[in-house]
Amino acid sequence: MFPSFTGSTRRPRQVNLSGRNTNPFAANASSRQPSSAPATQNTIAHAQAERALRQQERRRPPAAITIQKSWRGYRGRRIARTAWRRDWDAREETDQLSGAPRVVPYKSEAACLHQLKLLVHFASPGDRGDVDRLQHFARRYCHSVSPPNPACSLDVWIFPLLRLGKFLLSVLKESKSPATRVDVPILLELLCAIATAIPQQLSSYSMQYYGALRNLALNSGKEHQMDVGEQELASKMEMAVVALLRPKHSGSADAFKGFASQFLRVPGIRISMLQNLSTKIRIEDLTLALGSLLSSPPADNLLQTRGHDELLWLTSYFLYLYRSTKSHHPSSVDALYVSVLSRLISHLSGGVASRIDANPNTSSVDTTSASASPVPRYPLPPFIRSEIMNLVSQDHVSSLLHHAATPNDSNDELPLAERKKQTSALCVYALTLLRAFPRKGDQIRMWLFYGAAPATDAGKSSSIPAIKYYYNAASQTKIFSLVKSDPNRAIGLLNPGARRAAKEPVLPGRDEQWQIILLFLELYPNILKVMDDEEFLTGANATDPSDSLTRRSALALEEVRDLSLFLKSLAFSMYWNASEIAGVEEPENKNSIAEYFSGNLTAFSDHHPDAKTPRSQEVTIAGLPGMTIQYMKGMVTGLLRMIYERDSRRKFLPSDHWLMTQWFEMDRFISAVVQEEEEKHKIQESYDVDPEGRLDDAADDDSMEEEEETHDDLIGTQRTQQVRRIERLRRQQRKVSRRKYLESVTPRLEILQNMPFFIPFATRVQIFRQFVLLDQVRRRGTADADMWRFSMMHTQRSEMGKHRAKVHRESIFDDAFNQFYELGEGLKEPIQISFVDKFDTVEEGIDGGGVTKEFLTSVTSEAFSSMNGLDMFVENDQHLLYPNPTAVDERKELLTQAGEPEGSPYYNQSVRDLLRRFEFMGRIIGKCLYEGILVDIHFAPFFLLKWASTGGLNAAPKESSYRANLNDLRDLDEGLYQGLLTLKNFAGNVEESLGLTFEVTDILFPSDNNNNNHPNNNSNNNNTHPSQQQTPIPRTRELYKGGSTVPVTNANRLVYINYMAQHRLSRQPHHQTAAFLKGLATIIAPGWLSMFNQHELQTLVSGTADGIDISDLRRHTTYSGLYALGDDGLEHPTIQLFWVTVSNFSDADKANLVRFVTSTPRAPLLGFGHLQPRFSIRDGGGDERRLPTTSTCVNLLKLPMYGDKEVLRERLLYSVRAGAGFDLS
């Protein structure tokens, strides 16, 4: 029995339609006849069809009833509308409907209202007759002698007029052009009347209102091409635009939103209309409306729903209307206006800057911007370009600070909160301009520098320089004090969402404080470029108004110290805690160590930066689009290095001020950095390699440089250029991804490459030598040169031959270039040199490292000598070397004089050969650094700064991160430096007195020292300076496009000085310097060079300038021959006399002794224990009449066995002072 809730004990019927046997006790299915599958499926389908039919029958009656009701309703409405139309037509005069010229107004308001109500009941936009009735009603309504006054009885007029307005907007929307049969002017006149009568109610439909006007404006003619009818239409349209905006009512906000969102995106609105609109609308309401639209949800946000060009027109119209309305400078800045403009410009920045100078014959796509969608890259229309250029004009930018109020001025009429809001808005606006117009960044920064913020002093109004104003504002922020005291506090202040910041309280006004700090960090580096050392060190006390603006803008040294402390802490945290600030946690490696040692490295490759893992959103600072952590990193690091370079040139901070060793475990710092270098190399090895064998980063650099040189005006290549730009953007994104990953896994290495002064110099030198050792082991398998030679002789004998060369002493550089240039990076390996005389006879000697040293010192002596006739490097007044800035131009001029056409194969080959020689010189210096060989060559500090600027954030074999400044010009040309100082401090009218423009004249001395193989050249080579053989040839260039027509004035002279420094230090010698640094980077990784400043790099090249430590030299000297130490360890008597005598030498004579033996007067960086080969002394025979001699190639002193101290002293001093003994025994 099976009881159920119904009380019935009867088993329910089981119906099985599947054909399957559900009886578990039944016999095997294979023993029974299975049911037919098709029959089962037919049964199921039949049952389903019957069920659907029953359902359909149930729905049929209700559906029929609904259809009948709908039809009866439609038929009834159609009958009613037909009756209403007959009634309406009967009440109107028949001659009016037939188009009679005379218009009869309504006799009374009641008659007009009756016809209006009747019309809106039946009118339909799709009925042509209703459109004609609407035009007829519009004529009678608008041409009444006494137009109806609905204000007296507004309630009865509101609803009919509103319905009429909606019907009218629908008709205007369908009117595609004035050529249609619709009388658009009369309809616009009716629309104006309705907007005047019920502006508040009609504002609810402002989007449709201005959308209809926008469609009419799109089809109107140009201002200079309009006939009489089109002029009437334009006048009516202008009235309709203003009608809804002019009255002040509760719906004004909606009206201005519709006006901004719909009408102001019409391209090419006539200037006359804009001029009239500027006098009739309230710009404050328009600004509020734009601010509301920009803050709306994404579905209604202008930035999300409007195209790039539409937003450009909107921004330009807004600028024009605001500028026309506020033609005079307001007493205070409009914070909302600045905020709205900042958001618009920031959103458009991806395409505006590139389109300002775009070729008018091109139409392509700019994919280099950070925006998600490609931005059109064709020239801006003249109106847009004019308005955008007004944003970055000198008057506009310089006036920003005039509108600001000092935050701490309690006497100001504005409340403190409002003044802070204004200051924050100005900062955002200035930062947005700098990000949106990078090509004009230097000019914008300089113009902001010219601004002066108001201040009060004992009731007297005065002004404070812009730099001091922003420093005071920045230094008073809570962020400044928190970060300066503790670098870890920067984590939460940069990214409040960071894990470590969760326990810290939220800082009120965080974004506003960062905005002020960021603007100061943008402006201050530009001022340091034109501020000389005297102004920097003594200008803080300048109070005389006659002092230069740069002197009055100098911060006090105590303020510079506080600023450097803040920057040190901020920069340290941004590099040390890069992953946490970026919001990316370190991936957990769950693989066992057994898998690693078993050779299963596949699992450990999951952290490759190119893997398809979800990307973390880029953290932005202070809510500023484009102000990323990476951008801020470069800005902070650059300013910090500028202050450090000035301190290293003229000390004004304590010697230990820059160290941050307390934040590192210094006992294991070197090993940790070496481990990070190995990790970095492993990551780089996992990248793809291009066909030339370079890492893809290097290939990307070269390919991007080539693409920059391509012309956008090639016909028919738009599609190709678009593909190229997209590929270039992908490569850039790939590089950024890898760089971020490296920053997260190599924090110590990143700090060393970007802020090396955090670590003591001696530690960095040890790290440098460890890097070289690692590279040698990685490339050769061993650091021992002899072991490498032995292995190569048995495996790759042909490759070994490339590292051997015969060199003539009279042409050592040319021979070295011809035989070793093709080695490229292979020059890192040991080379074997054989010197030959003019008869091609090989000099005796075995190269165990000594001949290589003599070869390198001889090559550098010839290549960098000013008397060698090469003229590739020149000296300044202090006899310091730098690349000849006019070398490439002189070579081109020489080829032109010889009749060689520009661009010909020989022309290009000759210029390329010159740059290859510069590149080879860079390799030779790199080889000396790689092998630890000191050479007595001294470079100009500004040139060494470019070495130190090749690593870090812009790690590449070029001077991309070097910042030219006025003080570096002193090392290049003292006369030019003094002349620019005179210009900067000139008290009179610069334009009238000096007559300068933004152009420069370079003087060329073309000489044929390296071009004697030209087919048209019959001159003989000589080693005289080119100025002694050639007449100077002037070449005038513009400092920037159009600069020849721009005079240098008191207002822009600092910009001129900045451009002049950039030209002389960066642009003019660019090709030569880039080639040299490329060669240097072939041997020494750019990141290794960035660990040192300019003075430390000179120490790496030529040794320390400190006095010679004789005790250290004695500890690391080896002896041979009769002077070899015996089993008792006692020195030979002559050796004992030698050390006693040498210890009493003067510093100059000690240096001469070291030069006498090693060819350089300086000691190695880490002491004589790192001198290669070791300092050695061998007996020179028993004849005391002989002088000491040396073999500098092996650092060997051959000292005769003198028995008398005075004789030894006399002979030794004579030799070292005379410079004798440079031979190969």
Side-chain angles (χ1 to χ4, degrees):
M1 306 296 287
F2 297 88
S4 65
F5 69 93
T6 60
S8 175
T9 59
R10 189 174 180 179
R11 178 193 290 254
R13 182 185 178 191
Q14 300 291 331
V15 180
N16 182 11
L17 298 179
S18 66
R20 298 175 59 186
N21 187 6
T22 59
N23 184 5
F25 303 101
N28 194 342
S30 60
S31 64
R32 300 175 59 238
Q33 181 69 24
S35 61
S36 174
T40 303
Q41 295 297 330
N42 290 337
T43 303
I44 297 175
H46 182 70
Q48 291 177 345
E50 289 182 344
R51 181 177 181 181
L53 184 61
R54 291 192 299 270
Q55 185 70 14
Q56 183 177 1
E57 291 297 330
R58 284 195 298 269
R59 290 178 178 175
R60 190 183 299 274
I65 295 174
T66 302
I67 293 174
Q68 292 173 6
K69 289 174 59 177
S70 300
W71 168 249
R72 286 195 298 269
Y74 169 74
R75 183 171 176 273
R77 290 192 296 273
R78 187 176 64 177
I79 294 173
R81 287 195 181 100
T82 303
W84 290 336
R85 287 188 179 98
R86 288 197 298 267
D87 187 18
W88 196 90
D89 293 342
R91 289 177 176 271
E92 296 293 330
E93 298 178 355
T94 306
D95 59 337
Q96 295 295 331
L97 288 177
S98 62
R102 191 173 68 87
V103 178
V104 179
Y106 287 107
K107 298 179 180 180
S108 64
E109 289 186 13
C112 179
L113 180 60
H114 180 274
Q115 290 296 89
L116 171 60
K117 289 182 178 181
L118 202 57
L119 177 64
V120 297
H121 272 79
F122 65 78
S124 173
D127 190 303
R128 180 63 204 180
D130 290 348
V131 174
D132 291 339
R133 293 181 180 90
L134 174 65
Q135 296 179 83
H136 172 77
F137 177 80
R139 295 188 188 97
R140 297 194 67 185
Y141 183 91
C142 297
H143 291 80
S144 299
V145 177
S146 300
N149 182 17
C152 59
S153 55
L154 190 59
D155 293 340
V156 296
W157 283 89
I158 289 178
F159 185 69
L161 284 178
L162 186 59
R163 290 191 61 182
L164 179 65
K166 293 168 61 177
F167 172 51
L168 180 56
L169 293 177
S170 300
V171 173
L172 289 174
K173 184 178 180 181
E174 298 298 327
S175 176
K176 299 298 182 183
S177 69
T180 60
R181 288 189 297 163
V182 177
D183 189 355
V184 176
I186 192 61
L187 295 184
L188 287 176
E189 187 173 353
L190 176 61
L191 185 64
C192 292
I194 297 173
T196 304
I198 53 169
Q200 179 179 345
Q201 289 75 17
L202 194 59
S203 294
S204 303
Y205 301 91
S206 61
M207 293 295 177
Q208 296 89 327
Y209 184 94
Y210 286 103
L213 295 179
R214 174 179 177 273
N215 291 338
L216 293 176
L218 287 174
N219 296 284
S220 62
K222 301 298 181 183
E223 189 166 11
H224 60 280
Q225 300 174 347
M226 290 191 302
D227 54 22
V228 177
E230 290 177 333
Q231 292 178 0
E232 179 186 4
L233 174 62
S235 176
K236 300 291 186 182
M237 187 184 304
E238 181 181 325
M239 294 173 56
V241 170
V242 178
L244 206 60
L245 304 175
R246 202 161 191 177
K248 186 74 172 178
H249 50 80
S250 59
S252 294
D254 292 333
F256 277 94
K257 286 181 182 179
F259 172 67
S261 177
Q262 295 292 333
F263 192 77
L264 285 187
R265 59 191 178 104
V266 176
I269 296 178
R270 293 180 297 276
I271 297 297
S272 58
M273 177 181 288
L274 292 175
Q275 292 174 345
N276 293 332
L277 288 177
S278 65
T279 61
K280 297 176 181 178
I281 67 172
R282 297 181 299 279
I283 194 64
E284 294 82 5
D285 288 351
L286 177 59
T287 307
L288 285 170
L290 279 173
S292 176
L293 288 171
L294 295 176
S295 304
S296 302
D300 300 323
N301 195 301
L302 278 180
L303 303 181
Q304 305 295 329
T305 59
R306 297 293 179 261
H308 186 270
D309 281 355
E310 291 180 330
L311 288 175
L312 267 178
W313 283 108
L314 168 62
T315 304
S316 303
Y317 295 144
F318 178 56
L319 287 170
Y320 180 89
L321 293 173
Y322 192 90
R323 183 165 49 85
S324 300
T325 306
K326 305 281 187 178
S327 56
H328 60 284
H329 292 308
S331 57
S332 63
V333 68
D334 188 344
L336 182 59
Y337 162 75
V338 172
S339 175
V340 168
L341 201 54
S342 299
R343 295 197 61 183
L344 287 171
I345 296 174
S346 177
H347 183 78
L348 297 170
S349 60
V352 173
S354 60
R355 292 177 62 185
I356 288 179
D357 301 322
N359 191 318
N361 298 321
T362 62
S363 178
S364 56
V365 175
D366 181 17
T367 58
T368 59
S369 64
S371 59
S373 57
V375 179
R377 192 186 177 192
Y378 44 84
L380 292 173
F383 177 80
I384 295 180
R385 190 179 188 279
S386 174
E387 293 303 319
I388 295 297
M389 292 303 293
N390 279 331
L391 286 178
V392 290
S393 64
Q394 182 172 356
D395 293 339
H396 177 81
V397 176
S398 298
S399 65
L400 285 179
L401 282 178
H402 290 291
H403 301 164
T406 306
N408 292 330
D409 185 8
S410 59
N411 297 326
D412 196 281
E413 297 179 358
L414 292 175
L416 179 60
E418 184 64 24
R419 292 198 302 272
K420 288 184 177 180
K421 183 178 179 181
Q422 290 183 1
T423 303
S424 175
L426 283 172
C427 291
V428 173
Y429 183 53
L431 290 170
T432 302
L433 287 181
L434 290 171
R435 297 287 292 150
F437 303 97
R439 294 183 181 179
K440 288 187 169 291
D442 289 342
Q443 293 180 349
I444 294 174
R445 294 182 185 95
M446 200 61 69
W447 293 333
L448 285 171
F449 167 68
Y450 278 118
T456 56
D457 185 12
K460 299 179 180 179
S461 61
S462 60
S463 64
I464 177 174
I467 288 299
K468 289 189 174 181
Y469 169 75
Y470 281 114
Y471 174 77
N472 291 338
S475 61
Q476 293 170 8
T477 61
K478 189 69 174 176
I479 290 178
F480 191 93
S481 58
L482 289 175
V483 174
K484 187 178 74 170
S485 60
D486 183 6
N488 291 326
R489 295 300 300 272
I491 300 175
L493 295 173
L494 290 170
N495 183 10
R499 175 176 51 83
R500 200 183 306 185
K503 301 178 182 179
E504 299 178 1
V506 178
L507 182 66
R510 164 185 165 270
D511 287 352
E512 290 76 8
Q513 295 182 37
W514 272 125
Q515 290 160 6
I516 297 173
I517 293 173
L518 289 172
L519 182 57
F520 172 77
L521 296 181
E522 284 276 13
L523 298 183
Y524 193 50
N526 220 49
I527 308 309
L528 290 181
K529 293 180 184 179
V530 296
M531 183 181 293
D532 61 85
D533 289 337
E534 294 301 324
E535 292 175 335
F536 180 84
L537 296 174
T538 63
N541 299 323
T543 56
D544 191 347
S546 62
D547 289 332
S548 65
L549 183 57
T550 52
R551 177 177 291 274
R552 288 184 284 116
S553 299
L555 301 179
L557 295 183
E558 187 67 22
E559 293 174 333
V560 176
R561 185 189 69 84
D562 291 342
L563 175 62
S564 64
L565 290 174
F566 167 75
L567 294 175
K568 277 173 51 183
S569 297
L570 181 59
F572 171 80
S573 184
M574 294 178 77
Y575 284 96
W576 188 253
N577 305 300
S579 298
E580 189 171 354
I581 292 175
V584 179
E585 297 295 335
E586 298 257 347
E588 182 181 0
N589 193 344
K590 300 181 180 180
N591 301 290
S592 65
I593 193 169
E595 291 179 350
Y596 180 85
F597 285 103
S598 65
N600 181 19
L601 300 181
T602 305
F604 290 86
S605 63
D606 295 339
H607 309 309
H608 194 284
D610 290 339
K612 295 183 179 180
T613 56
R615 295 183 178 179
S616 59
Q617 187 177 3
E618 185 76 19
V619 177
T620 58
I621 309 299
L624 297 171
M627 185 60 68
T628 62
I629 292 290
Q630 199 65 30
Y631 180 84
M632 184 178 178
K633 223 183 244 187
M635 187 165 55
V636 172
T637 305
L639 177 55
L640 188 61
R641 293 188 71 146
M642 291 182 74
I643 298 176
Y644 171 73
E645 289 162 8
R646 197 174 288 261
D647 181 56
S648 62
R649 185 170 57 243
R650 297 279 297 272
K651 293 295 295 183
F652 59 90
L653 292 172
S655 57
D656 59 346
H657 173 81
W658 296 102
L659 297 178
M660 294 194 72
T661 53
Q662 70 273 19
W663 296 95
F664 302 99
E665 298 178 10
M666 295 305 297
D667 55 342
R668 58 180 300 272
F669 183 79
I670 296 179
S671 61
V673 171
V674 172
Q675 183 179 357
E676 289 182 1
E677 175 69 14
E678 290 182 306
E679 178 69 18
K680 176 182 177 181
H681 185 76
K682 290 178 182 178
I683 294 173
Q684 290 177 337
E685 281 185 335
S686 66
Y687 295 162
D688 296 332
V689 179
D690 73 333
E692 297 183 8
R694 302 168 301 173
L695 291 178
D696 53 357
D697 280 350
D700 288 349
D701 289 336
D702 290 348
S703 60
M704 282 188 285
E705 287 179 357
E706 292 176 1
E707 288 184 7
E708 288 174 358
E709 297 175 359
T710 58
H711 299 285
D712 291 337
D713 55 355
L714 296 177
I715 299 176
T717 60
Q718 285 85 353
R719 177 65 180 173
T720 304
Q721 292 174 12
Q722 179 177 352
V723 173
R724 278 180 170 180
R725 292 189 182 97
I726 293 175
E727 182 61 28
R728 180 184 179 187
L729 178 60
R730 289 173 180 169
R731 287 198 300 268
Q732 290 176 337
Q733 291 174 341
R734 187 167 62 249
K735 281 187 65 176
V736 170
S737 174
R738 294 170 186 170
R739 183 181 59 199
K740 290 180 181 178
Y741 180 71
L742 285 175
E743 288 175 356
S744 64
V745 299
T746 59
R748 297 174 184 83
L749 198 57
E750 288 292 320
I751 289 175
L752 271 178
Q753 292 177 351
N754 292 280
M755 297 159 296
F757 37 83
F758 286 1
I759 306 300
F761 174 60
T763 304
R764 284 180 275 134
V765 174
Q766 295 180 51
I767 292 172
F768 175 77
R769 297 315 311 173
Q770 286 291 322
F771 285 171
V772 172
L773 181 63
L774 276 176
D775 190 63
Q776 290 175 342
V777 174
R778 189 183 301 122
R779 292 178 58 85
R780 311 173 187 172
T782 176
D784 188 275
D786 293 331
M787 290 291 293
W788 178 82
R789 290 191 182 97
F790 181 78
S791 63
M792 291 292 290
M793 288 176 62
H794 290 80
T795 57
Q796 303 180 31
R797 185 177 294 271
S798 60
E799 290 294 324
M800 184 65 186
K802 298 179 181 179
H803 294 77
R804 295 173 178 170
K806 290 183 178 181
V807 178
H808 296 81
R809 289 191 178 272
E810 61 272 12
S811 58
I812 189 169
F813 177 78
D814 287 336
D815 289 350
F817 174 76
N818 293 330
Q819 298 183 62
F820 284 141
Y821 177 80
E822 297 300 330
L823 267 183
E825 195 176 10
L827 193 60
K828 289 183 177 182
E829 318 306 349
I831 56 177
Q832 202 159 351
I833 304 298
S834 297
F835 285 102
V836 297
D837 58 19
K838 60 182 178 181
F839 302 106
D840 207 31
T841 302
V842 178
E843 298 182 5
E844 296 182 0
I846 299 176
D847 190 355
V851 179
T852 299
K853 180 200 169 191
E854 182 176 0
F855 164 75
L856 292 174
T857 55
S858 300
V859 169
T860 53
S861 297
E862 179 179 332
F864 293 98
S865 173
S866 60
M867 300 304 295
N868 59 6
L870 295 177
D871 298 322
M872 297 174 64
F873 274 71
V874 292
E875 293 181 346
N876 62 8
D877 296 338
Q878 291 79 36
H879 304 289
L880 302 177
L881 294 167
Y882 59 92
N884 184 358
T886 60
V888 173
D889 292 332
E890 289 172 353
R891 173 61 61 87
K892 292 180 179 179
E893 179 63 28
L894 184 66
L895 292 168
T896 302
Q897 291 178 1
E900 192 67 36
E902 183 177 358
S904 65
Y906 179 80
Y907 185 99
N908 294 335
Q909 178 62 29
S910 181
V911 175
R912 194 178 298 115
D913 178 75
L914 176 63
L915 294 178
R916 284 175 177 173
R917 290 176 178 269
F918 275 104
E919 181 182 353
F920 184 70
M921 295 170 78
R923 293 181 191 173
I924 291 296
I925 293 297
K927 176 70 172 176
C928 295
L929 292 172
Y930 196 80
E931 301 293 343
I933 296 175
L934 302 179
V935 289
D936 192 15
I937 297 176
H938 303 276
F939 295 103
F942 76 88
F943 179 54
L944 290 168
L945 270 176
K946 298 179 182 182
W947 300 17
S949 300
T950 57
L953 289 177
N954 296 314
K958 52 190 175 182
E959 48 173 315
S960 55
S961 61
Y962 169 72
R963 301 189 180 195
N965 61 81
L966 177 62
N967 293 281
D968 286 346
L969 274 178
R970 192 168 200 168
D971 295 326
L972 176 71
D973 188 339
E974 179 70 25
L976 176 62
Y977 170 76
Q978 294 297 337
L980 292 177
L981 280 185
T982 302
L983 170 64
K984 186 174 71 169
N985 301 316
F986 190 74
N989 189 307
V990 172
E991 182 178 3
E992 295 178 358
S993 302
L994 303 181
L996 298 173
T997 57
F998 278 81
E999 55 185 358
V1000 60
T1001 301
D1002 299 327
I1003 305 299
L1004 307 182
F1005 295 95
S1007 60
D1008 201 13
N1009 294 332
N1010 291 296
N1011 204 42
N1012 293 315
N1013 57 345
H1014 192 277
N1016 299 327
N1017 180 28
N1018 297 319
S1019 61
N1020 296 324
N1021 188 19
N1022 56 67
N1023 290 334
T1024 57
H1025 193 272
S1027 61
Q1028 299 174 0
Q1029 21 174 339
Q1030 295 289 337
T1031 303
I1033 300 177
R1035 286 288 180 268
T1036 301
R1037 295 182 174 89
E1038 291 182 331
L1039 292 175
Y1040 64 87
K1041 187 177 180 180
S1044 59
T1045 60
V1046 179
V1048 179
T1049 64
N1050 292 53
N1052 64 13
R1053 54 183 166 184
L1054 292 184
V1055 180
Y1056 173 81
I1057 293 173
N1058 189 26
Y1059 273 115
M1060 183 65 74
Q1062 290 181 14
H1063 174 76
R1064 291 298 189 196
L1065 293 168
S1066 295
R1067 294 173 185 167
Q1068 188 182 21
H1070 169 72
H1071 295 292
Q1072 302 90 300
T1073 304
F1076 181 91
L1077 293 179
K1078 181 180 179 182
L1080 182 62
T1082 303
I1083 309 299
I1084 303 295
W1088 301 357
L1089 294 174
S1090 64
M1091 294 192 301
F1092 306 97
N1093 65 18
Q1094 66 272 33
H1095 303 294
E1096 294 166 347
L1097 284 171
Q1098 182 61 61
T1099 305
L1100 280 176
V1101 172
S1102 59
T1104 178
D1106 298 335
I1108 303 299
D1109 186 354
I1110 297 299
S1111 60
D1112 179 60
L1113 176 61
R1114 185 173 186 177
R1115 284 194 302 271
H1116 297 96
T1117 298
T1118 60
Y1119 307 98
S1120 60
L1122 296 178
Y1123 292 155
L1125 298 179
D1127 295 337
D1128 55 2
L1130 296 178
E1131 295 174 339
H1132 191 278
T1134 302
I1135 296 298
Q1136 296 178 8
L1137 289 176
F1138 171 80
W1139 290 118
V1140 172
T1141 301
V1142 169
S1143 62
N1144 294 323
F1145 277 5
S1146 64
D1147 290 341
D1149 286 333
K1150 291 177 183 178
N1152 287 333
L1153 172 65
V1154 175
R1155 182 202 294 271
F1156 181 63
V1157 180
T1158 67
S1159 75
T1160 180
R1162 298 186 176 187
L1165 303 178
L1166 301 178
F1168 285 96
H1170 290 78
L1171 180 65
Q1172 295 295 333
R1174 289 293 185 95
F1175 192 96
S1176 305
I1177 303 178
R1178 198 186 99 183
D1179 65 284
D1183 188 358
E1184 296 190 8
R1185 293 175 300 175
R1186 293 186 60 184
L1187 292 172
T1189 58
T1190 62
S1191 294
T1192 57
C1193 58
V1194 289
N1195 299 333
L1196 174 64
L1197 172 64
K1198 289 171 281 189
L1199 182 68
M1201 290 184 290
Y1202 299 112
D1204 184 73
K1205 177 180 177 181
E1206 291 301 323
V1207 173
L1208 187 151
R1209 175 183 175 83
E1210 177 187 354
R1211 298 285 192 272
L1212 187 59
L1213 284 177
Y1214 182 85
S1215 296
V1216 301
R1217 291 175 179 176
F1222 290 89
D1223 62 339
L1224 181 64
S1225 298

